Amino acid sequence: MLKTLYPDTCAVSAYEINYEKMYREGYRGILFDIDNTLVPHGAPADERAVALFHRLKQIGFETCLISNNKEPRVKSFGDEVGARYIYKAGKPLPGGYEEGMKKMGTDRWSTFFVGDQIFTDIAGAKRAGLYTILVKPIHPKEEIQIVLKRYLEKIVLFFYFR
């Protein structure tokens, strides 16, 4: 049961992943969570996010944002970074991830996911059959329901790192 919550790997930040290596390994699409993965919760796209997505496009990646947020939030971020998007994705259900792959023209063997939450991001991506990278949240300020889930995540990560 816990293994479905375990990420395939962890990174300090979405900005410190070796994307060139992932491309050499055959990955062609990346699904990203937004809040606390790319920017603090609710923040607009910043220069660092725009630069990352420009770099990913230069490498050859297709990108798609996948979020449980409403369209105005996700669309504005996607427009700023030049990425496709899925809003109200229903994470941790696999449908949003599958829709994202369809938009990118990739499949589960050539796509990976980057997110900061185990119970929504990682669990959903694993259910969709994706390789997963868990990153540390960018900012400690979060909505109360996320704060509560972080305590449970600590238990899962304890067993993951054992």
Side-chain angles (χ1 to χ4, degrees):
M1 164 65 184
L2 281 180
K3 291 198 187 290
T4 62
L5 300 175
Y6 290 167
D8 292 295
T9 193
C10 296
V12 172
S13 164
Y15 299 97
E16 295 185 21
I17 295 169
N18 187 340
Y19 293 103
E20 290 81 4
K21 178 179 178 270
M22 299 300 285
Y23 192 85
R24 285 191 304 273
E25 290 177 1
Y27 292 100
R28 296 298 181 262
I30 311 170
L31 294 169
F32 284 97
D33 174 53
I34 300 172
D35 290 322
N36 252 348
T37 296
L38 296 168
V39 294
H41 188 83
D46 57 18
E47 290 180 21
R48 186 166 73 154
V50 171
L52 173 63
F53 279 79
H54 177 74
R55 178 177 151 223
L56 294 172
K57 186 173 276 192
Q58 286 182 320
I59 294 169
F61 279 111
E62 297 292 329
T63 58
C64 185
L65 305 169
I66 176 169
S67 175
N68 285 344
N69 274 305
K70 295 176 182 171
E71 187 173 20
R73 163 72 175 138
V74 184
K75 180 183 185 324
S76 66
F77 198 96
D79 289 348
E80 285 292 315
V81 300
R84 295 169 184 88
Y85 63 91
I86 306 294
Y87 66 96
K88 289 189 176 180
K91 296 185 287 186
L93 298 175
Y97 300 86
E98 292 162 355
E99 186 179 344
M101 287 185 278
K102 189 179 289 185
K103 282 189 176 197
M104 294 188 298
T106 60
D107 58 31
R108 64 182 174 170
W109 297 280
S110 63
T111 305
F112 66 97
F113 176 81
V114 179
D116 71 299
Q117 291 188 57
I118 290 175
F119 294 107
T120 52
D121 296 335
I122 299 304
K126 293 297 249 179
R127 291 173 78 181
L130 298 174
Y131 185 86
T132 59
I133 301 176
L134 177 69
V135 297
K136 291 186 177 182
I138 287 179
H139 195 274
K141 184 178 184 236
E142 297 181 295
E143 295 174 337
I144 187 66
Q145 70 271 18
I146 296 171
V147 171
L148 297 174
K149 283 192 275 184
R150 294 287 184 205
Y151 289 109
L152 296 173
E153 286 182 355
K154 287 179 184 180
I155 296 167
V156 173
L157 291 173
F158 171 80
F159 289 104
Y160 173 76
F161 288 115
R162 262 179 70 178

